[in-house]
Amino acid sequence: MRHRLPTAVAAFVAASLLLAGCGGGDDEDTPSGSSSAPAEPTASETTEPPEPTYWPLTGLERTGKAPEHPVIVTKVDNTSSSAPQVGLGAADLVVEELVEGGYTRLAAFYYSQVPASIGPVRSMRASDIGIVPQGATVVTSGAAPVTINRINGAGIPWITEGDAGVYRENTRSAPYNLFARLGEISKRLDAEEEPPPYLPWGTEADLPQGAKARTLTADFGAHSTSWQFQDGGYVNTDSYAAAGDQFPADSVLVLRVKVGDAGYTDPAGYPVPETKFEGKGAALLFHDGRVVRSTWSKDGLHGDIELSTKAGELTVPAGRVWVELVPAVNGDVTFAK
């Protein structure tokens, strides 16, 4: 509803305006032809918009505050006995690493979101020292004593069976029945600071043209992981994940790595390998049905991962990435149009 001035007030205002129009101006106070000074800009007009912030594990722009918990890395079994894997669909990033016997294990990274449950949870390896970012917490079924000593020496905190939120699923057989409630676990973890970017993030526009490659296979020996480019992303065609819970990879990054001997054997007598995730090696970045050949480098186990081509720095288009740490010797990568 509109409001009207009382009649007497309206008459007074009208008379005042008439006198102001007839009285003329004071030439000494306001020179002829000049205008009054512009109004000072308000705070809202002068304040610059805030700088955008980005998720460290995907490079995607973030709205709102960062989580109060650190990055949580969960070690997940990656054999047929693990089927169905639970919780991979919520991961920000996944790293696949070699373990004994030519099989692989997954390090699933969670930060922007955490699933209700994740598993089957399996043990750590010394390889994880170069994979787990500083400040992160690992959820694991444990490790060999020599590995635990090295993990502790690297200052990596970890959570295992017996801690709140880690439980046995009675519908499965051991050792493939250990699971973790990450939502519950994350509430009691505090982050000292926001983690740095895990990969050198960029945009699709920054990516070189590369060559056509709609399928690829990373061969670790006894296990191979195959991918097919479909509907703008990469589908793991031999995944053990539950239906609808596969990791939705926007890119697959293959890094050829050196592998040494961790110095002990597993209960079955297989030598335990140790991925040396430092130094440099060949790299293949698969995105949008194409592949770009490059080189990766990492200054020490805790250094930043850098990528480059002959033309200069290479960045990974922001999104969810599956990293394949394929042995430079006794491993293989094939791809096709």
Side-chain angles (χ1 to χ4, degrees):
M1 177 181 296
R2 294 183 179 181
H3 297 278
R4 300 181 66 181
L5 290 172
T7 304
V9 176
F12 175 77
V13 171
S16 299
L17 293 173
L18 180 61
L19 290 173
C22 297
D26 188 338
D27 291 341
E28 292 181 358
D29 294 337
T30 308
S32 176
S34 69
S35 59
S36 60
E40 291 293 327
T42 63
S44 62
E45 293 173 332
T46 58
T47 302
E48 293 290 332
E51 290 290 328
T53 54
Y54 301 90
W55 290 109
L57 301 180
T58 64
L60 297 171
E61 187 171 349
R62 187 186 76 218
T63 57
K65 297 181 179 179
E68 295 182 358
H69 61 78
V71 171
I72 303 174
V73 179
T74 304
K75 295 305 300 294
V76 180
D77 188 83
N78 196 41
T79 65
S80 59
S81 299
S82 68
Q85 297 162 331
V86 175
L88 287 184
D92 288 324
L93 180 142
V94 174
V95 176
E96 183 171 10
E97 61 182 296
L98 179 71
V99 292
E100 53 274 16
Y103 292 95
T104 65
R105 194 152 290 175
L106 307 180
F109 291 54
Y110 298 89
Y111 187 60
S112 68
Q113 58 181 336
V114 290
S117 290
I118 174 69
V121 177
R122 296 303 304 274
S123 58
M124 300 178 289
R125 296 291 183 274
S127 303
D128 296 322
I129 296 173
I131 294 171
V132 175
Q134 289 186 295
T137 294
V138 179
V139 176
T140 173
S141 65
V146 63
T147 300
I148 289 177
N149 290 338
R150 292 185 61 186
I151 293 290
N152 290 341
I156 300 174
W158 49 283
I159 292 171
T160 189
E161 188 172 9
D163 294 320
V166 183
Y167 66 99
R168 291 284 176 178
E169 174 57 66
N170 58 19
T171 61
R172 301 197 184 204
S173 300
Y176 308 101
N177 63 345
L178 191 67
F179 282 72
R181 299 184 180 93
L182 290 196
E184 177 184 328
I185 291 170
S186 67
K187 292 177 182 178
R188 66 174 192 270
L189 299 178
D190 295 320
E192 294 183 0
E193 57 185 15
E194 191 171 347
Y198 192 78
L199 292 171
W201 300 112
T203 67
E204 288 189 348
D206 301 326
L207 198 65
Q209 182 70 8
K212 289 184 178 180
R214 299 184 66 87
T215 63
L216 70 125
T217 296
D219 187 357
F220 291 83
H223 173 80
S224 296
T225 298
S226 297
W227 298 89
Q228 189 171 70
F229 182 67
Q230 298 177 6
D231 301 324
Y234 289 84
V235 176
N236 183 347
T237 56
D238 46 19
S239 172
Y240 300 120
D245 203 8
Q246 289 192 9
F247 180 78
D250 296 300
S251 302
V252 177
L253 177 61
V254 178
L255 306 179
R256 304 303 300 270
V257 295
K258 295 179 181 179
V259 176
D261 190 335
Y264 65 99
T265 59
D266 72 355
Y270 290 105
V272 176
E274 180 180 350
T275 295
K276 305 291 186 180
F277 196 23
E278 59 182 326
K280 62 182 180 179
L284 296 168
L285 175 56
F286 295 85
H287 182 82
D288 195 30
R290 294 181 173 273
V291 59
V292 177
R293 296 180 182 271
S294 62
T295 300
W296 69 270
S297 62
K298 191 165 176 278
D299 185 10
L301 292 175
H302 300 298
D304 294 333
I305 300 170
E306 298 180 352
L307 300 171
S308 62
T309 65
K310 292 181 179 180
E313 179 188 9
L314 177 67
T315 58
V316 180
R320 296 165 83 176
V321 180
W322 183 293
V323 181
E324 304 277 18
L325 297 183
V326 180
V329 179
N330 299 326
D332 196 17
V333 182
T334 56
F335 55 87
K337 298 180 180 179

